[in-house]
Amino acid sequence: MGILTRILQPGERRANLKYPPPWLIEVLQGGVKTATGITISPEKSLRNTAVLAAVRVLSESVASLPCIVYRRMERGKVRAVDHHLYALLHDAPNSQMTAFEFYELGMVHLALWGNFYAEVERDGAGRARALWPLRPDRMTIWKTEDGDLVYEYDPTNGSKVWLPAESILHIRGMGSDGVKGYSLIGLARQAIGLGLAAEEFGARFFGNDARPGIVLQHPGVLSEKALENLRKSWEARHGGLAASHKPAILEEGMTVKEIGIPPEDAQFLETRKFQVNEIARIFRVPPHMLGDLERATFSNIENESINFVVHTLRPWLRRWEQAIHQQLFLPGERREYFAEFLVDGLLRGDIESRYRAYAVGRQWGWLSANDVRERENMNPVPGGDSYLTPLNMMATGGERGAWSGEHEAEGVELRMNEERALQRRREVMKAYRRIIENIAQRIINREVNDVRNKTRKILRVIESASQRGSEEAEQRGVPEFDLFLDTFYADHEEFVREYMQPIYQTYAESVGVVAAEEAGGSWGDVRKDDLEQFVEDYVAAYAAGHAAESKGQLRAVVQEAIAAGEDPYQALGERLSEWQERRPGKIADREWVKAGAAFTKVVWGSLGVRYLRWRAFGKSCPYCTSMDGHIVAMDGFFLASGAELAPEGIPALKSRQNIGHPPLHGGCDCMIVPA
């Protein structure tokens, strides 16, 4: 351990202290007994294989990511390799540990105790020169009347030392008071205890030759000595796996009777499976990473892995990054420098998807050859730092002026630049249409297969009843079918949300880069947190709408079949086949326009754009053509709910919702531009 700097005298800051230490430090570190009778403490919880696997996944995943110190530039950032914290955070935090070992240990402490402490060894100028991990179970935090934190550490279980807050790097997990994080093990000790109890039950069961307990019945009365001799004789010959299947010879009329519940009746295996999922839920780790591959497929593991980075690792990394920024950088450095974990490698898709994305970036000029090679862990090549400019494009520049006769030349150039920027964003958006269709096809395939398989029996009952009258069919089968739809689509909605979230997040970032430049800003100026939250809300609304639309269609199909005296299962099957053939394409046609426009609007709002103008692309569509050139405020609507659009000579189009951006109708591929 490092030198414990600025040791405080016990009486120096103990006066008027608030918040006593945690109750007996988890009962003197022995742990707390659960309802199963098993005592659980952070370290004992690692005996549960699922907990051990989850902690390893979290700690090794974070430890494998390099922590980089950056210097903020006017536009973008650059690695600050000359900063005194760069080597400390990237290579070795102290003379005895590598960076991997340090972050791995830190995440183990956070996962088990909810807190990670490291003593900060500083030089004469106050700069951190070493970080020494401290045991969280030996740390007590005190709060003075002035609100300052003081850390009491017991390095040798007896000789306590006092450390001021500036001498401690403290990473907190989820907590309730902003001082200390909760222990996930403490919060979930009952679930972990149940898992250990199931393991112990299985071990004892197989240690007893995988047989329930037995009773030896004797027709007579045995003395205490005879009972003891009989017990020892039986255990010596038939106890344990080594004595499995040896014949038992009973004398004097004795019989054997089995007692206890067989493990299959007690759902032993199901309990063990469920506890693995419980642990995965506690640590927010995908079950397949804990070895549970029951629901894993080639199509969903990649997206589950991206979800793991976005929803599990990212919150932990933010805790590390913000604590490092607040507690290790000097006050005068914080505006210029920051630390960030590099997660690009974990978010990479398959090689075909990556190369397709690189091609778009290279073609439209925001990636150079060496940018691509760096992302693929390849060395740069001479001349690879240049950026391409398509022949039909020119660099934007200058202030946007009025399109008046006095400045006609400038107006023409501005219109040309706007058109080129619009076409660039449109190409990026259209590149995602095929990706969205592919994802939608996978979702629809899963949905169709599950609905078709799980409704066969229900709809056969309805068909049989419908032969005796539609009223009996309605009474017997329809309520059960409705219950199935409600239950299934509650789960399917969550599946759709989790499956599409990483794809839409990537889509939003790709569109955001070009949209920011189109508005005269840069991606670095965009409020990323606002965009991430919007994408999350958008996907949640999409998933809810998808589930509601599917339920409505299936209910209507079954009810119409019953009313017409037709086979409801056949009618449902025809609708499901139609979904597989046509629905993914319809979703993609709508979503590449709708989502792309929505993400663009959020980016522009972040950059201060105040007005939007409609740009029609469906030239043969009179509705879209009539909207071309309309300007509204950023928070306004091009067409309000209930309003009618009535071009001359054709029926009016009535809007069923507020339209703040394209599409106007099915198949519409119009765009918006800053006004």
Side-chain angles (χ1 to χ4, degrees):
M1 191 181 66
I3 301 172
L4 296 174
T5 58
R6 194 180 167 189
I7 299 176
L8 303 179
Q9 297 300 321
E12 189 175 339
R13 298 182 78 167
R14 289 183 91 165
N16 300 319
L17 293 175
K18 296 180 179 180
Y19 303 111
W23 172 248
L24 289 180
I25 310 298
E26 242 352 62
V27 190
L28 301 180
Q29 306 307 325
V32 176
K33 183 173 288 189
T34 64
T36 62
I38 293 178
T39 300
I40 295 296
S41 69
E43 290 185 319
K44 288 183 179 179
S45 67
L46 292 176
R47 299 176 186 174
N48 183 305
T49 55
V51 173
L52 176 61
V55 172
R56 285 191 61 192
V57 167
L58 286 175
S59 60
E60 292 174 358
S61 297
V62 171
S64 66
L65 302 175
C67 184
I68 311 296
V69 174
Y70 292 99
R71 178 187 294 111
R72 290 186 175 90
M73 309 295 287
E74 184 177 351
R75 296 186 66 179
K77 60 189 179 182
V78 64
R79 293 194 181 195
V81 294
D82 56 342
H83 193 276
H84 66 277
L85 286 179
Y86 190 94
L88 194 71
L89 298 175
H90 183 270
D91 301 324
N94 57 61
S95 60
Q96 299 176 9
M97 303 178 75
T98 65
F100 185 98
E101 294 166 340
F102 179 80
Y103 294 120
E104 180 184 41
L105 177 62
M107 281 307 302
V108 169
H109 286 182
L110 282 165
L112 297 181
W113 283 277
N115 296 272
F116 172 62
Y117 307 95
E119 184 200 351
V120 183
E121 183 180 339
R122 300 184 184 272
D123 60 17
R127 298 178 301 183
R129 65 181 184 185
L131 301 172
W132 300 92
L134 304 174
R135 292 270 306 187
D137 54 335
R138 298 179 185 176
M139 183 72 76
T140 304
I141 304 177
W142 301 80
K143 197 170 187 180
T144 68
E145 192 174 52
D146 297 332
D148 297 328
L149 298 182
V150 182
Y151 293 80
E152 180 185 355
Y153 189 61
D154 184 0
T156 57
N157 291 327
S159 58
K160 297 180 181 179
V161 292
W162 294 76
L163 298 166
E166 56 265 26
S167 294
I168 294 292
L169 171 64
H170 183 186
I171 316 292
R172 302 176 181 87
M174 180 185 70
S176 64
D177 57 4
V179 175
K180 197 171 185 179
Y182 286 129
S183 166
L184 294 179
I185 304 302
L187 294 175
R189 62 169 57 95
Q190 296 294 346
I192 297 171
L194 180 58
L196 284 173
E199 287 186 14
E200 183 174 340
F201 172 80
R204 293 182 181 276
F205 179 70
F206 284 102
N208 192 37
D209 191 18
R211 294 180 179 273
I214 63 171
V215 172
L216 295 177
Q217 292 183 328
H218 193 282
V221 178
L222 298 176
S223 65
E224 291 186 7
K225 184 174 182 181
L227 282 172
E228 183 66 17
N229 290 338
L230 177 59
R231 182 185 63 80
K232 290 181 178 180
S233 174
W234 182 270
E235 289 180 349
R237 183 168 181 82
H238 301 289
L241 290 175
S244 300
H245 310 299
K246 288 185 178 180
I249 301 174
L250 303 178
E251 301 178 271
E252 301 179 4
M254 284 195 301
T255 59
V256 176
K257 181 179 181 182
E258 292 185 347
I259 61 174
I261 304 175
E264 62 270 20
D265 294 341
Q267 295 187 333
F268 167 64
L269 294 178
E270 287 78 2
T271 298
R272 296 211 62 189
K273 286 182 181 179
F274 177 75
Q275 288 312 112
V276 171
N277 280 294
E278 280 283 88
I279 301 304
R281 187 178 299 115
I282 292 166
F283 289 97
R284 203 186 293 171
V285 173
H288 76 269
M289 289 187 170
L290 305 186
D292 182 1
L293 301 177
E294 185 174 0
R295 297 187 178 182
T297 66
F298 288 110
S299 62
N300 70 10
I301 278 186
E302 180 181 337
N303 285 281
E304 283 291 327
S305 299
I306 295 176
N307 276 333
F308 172 67
V309 176
V310 174
H311 298 296
T312 303
L313 290 187
R314 185 173 61 179
W316 286 115
L317 298 178
R318 287 291 176 87
R319 295 180 192 277
W320 278 91
E321 291 165 356
Q322 294 181 7
I324 288 171
H325 188 261
Q326 182 183 30
Q327 300 171 39
L328 294 186
F329 285 98
L330 299 177
E333 298 176 329
R334 292 172 190 162
R335 292 180 62 85
E336 184 178 1
Y337 296 95
F338 65 97
E340 191 173 73
F341 285 88
L342 194 61
V343 298
D344 291 358
L346 295 180
L347 291 172
R348 298 193 307 174
D350 59 86
I351 190 168
E352 181 182 356
S353 300
R354 297 201 312 273
Y355 282 16
R356 187 163 53 242
Y358 293 151
V360 173
R362 185 85 174 103
Q363 173 187 351
W364 291 104
W366 68 83
L367 285 178
S368 69
N370 283 341
D371 290 336
V372 174
R373 294 178 67 84
E374 181 181 0
R375 283 164 171 76
E376 290 296 309
N377 198 27
M378 302 167 75
N379 292 330
V381 296
D385 292 321
S386 61
Y387 294 87
L388 301 179
T389 301
L391 292 176
N392 64 337
M393 296 182 64
M394 61 183 294
T396 59
E399 241 178 295
R400 294 182 181 271
W403 292 346
S404 63
E406 183 180 359
H407 302 289
E408 183 177 353
E410 294 181 16
V412 170
E413 182 179 352
L414 287 171
R415 286 194 295 271
M416 291 176 62
N417 290 342
E418 179 187 273
E419 184 68 24
R420 290 166 184 142
L422 173 61
Q423 291 293 347
R424 177 185 176 190
R425 173 164 52 93
R426 185 175 174 84
E427 287 298 322
V428 172
M429 291 170 57
K430 290 186 72 173
Y432 273 86
R433 187 207 171 280
R434 182 177 296 179
I435 298 174
I436 294 173
E437 183 175 11
N438 182 266
I439 295 299
Q441 186 72 65
R442 296 180 185 182
I443 292 173
I444 295 296
N445 287 344
R446 178 186 187 272
E447 181 178 358
V448 165
N449 291 336
D450 287 351
V451 170
R452 183 176 278 133
N453 293 334
K454 295 177 181 179
T455 58
R456 185 189 306 271
K457 183 177 180 181
I458 299 173
L459 295 181
R460 288 308 182 204
V461 171
I462 295 178
E463 179 190 10
S464 176
S466 66
Q467 296 174 0
R468 297 186 293 273
S470 61
E471 290 186 4
E472 184 174 349
E474 289 277 1
Q475 294 173 355
R476 290 197 57 188
V478 171
E480 185 178 355
F481 179 70
D482 288 344
L483 177 61
F484 161 76
L485 290 180
D486 291 338
T487 303
F488 173 78
Y489 278 104
D491 292 336
H492 190 65
E493 178 181 333
E494 181 67 15
F495 169 78
V496 173
R497 186 190 65 78
E498 292 182 355
Y499 205 72
M500 299 200 75
Q501 175 72 31
I503 303 302
Y504 272 47
Q505 187 64 52
T506 305
Y507 185 21
E509 292 174 0
S510 299
V511 171
V513 171
V514 293
E517 295 178 1
E518 186 178 355
S522 71
W523 178 240
D525 300 326
V526 176
R527 295 193 295 270
K528 310 298 192 305
D529 291 344
D530 291 352
L531 182 59
E532 289 177 5
Q533 184 60 54
F534 179 83
V535 173
E536 187 173 332
D537 295 341
Y538 183 96
V539 172
Y542 171 87
H546 179 95
E549 180 184 356
S550 294
K551 284 197 296 184
Q553 286 193 37
L554 296 182
R555 280 197 174 103
V557 165
V558 169
Q559 290 171 354
E560 290 171 3
I562 293 173
E566 299 173 351
D567 182 354
Y569 185 70
Q570 181 180 349
L572 181 137
E574 292 173 355
R575 178 58 57 88
L576 295 178
S577 297
E578 181 185 346
W579 281 5
Q580 284 185 299
E581 181 179 353
R582 300 181 181 179
R583 198 172 177 189
K586 292 181 179 179
I587 291 173
D589 287 339
R590 179 186 69 243
E591 283 299 309
W592 81 266
V593 178
K594 182 179 179 182
F599 302 154
T600 297
K601 191 173 176 180
V602 174
V603 170
W604 287 346
S606 176
L607 296 174
V609 174
R610 298 175 59 189
Y611 297 96
L612 304 173
R613 187 169 73 253
W614 191 282
R615 282 293 310 273
F617 275 82
K619 300 302 182 183
S620 62
C621 172
Y623 299 111
C624 294
T625 302
S626 67
M627 291 289 292
D628 191 41
H630 282 205
I631 296 177
V632 299
M634 176 64 74
D635 57 353
F637 302 112
F638 287 98
L639 203 61
S641 178
E644 292 186 349
L645 189 63
E648 187 177 352
I650 61 173
L653 174 68
K654 187 173 183 179
S655 175
R656 293 183 292 179
Q657 59 186 354
N658 294 322
I659 297 178
H661 58 74
L664 179 63
H665 54 75
C668 171
D669 62 346
C670 293
M671 304 284 285
I672 49 175
V673 295

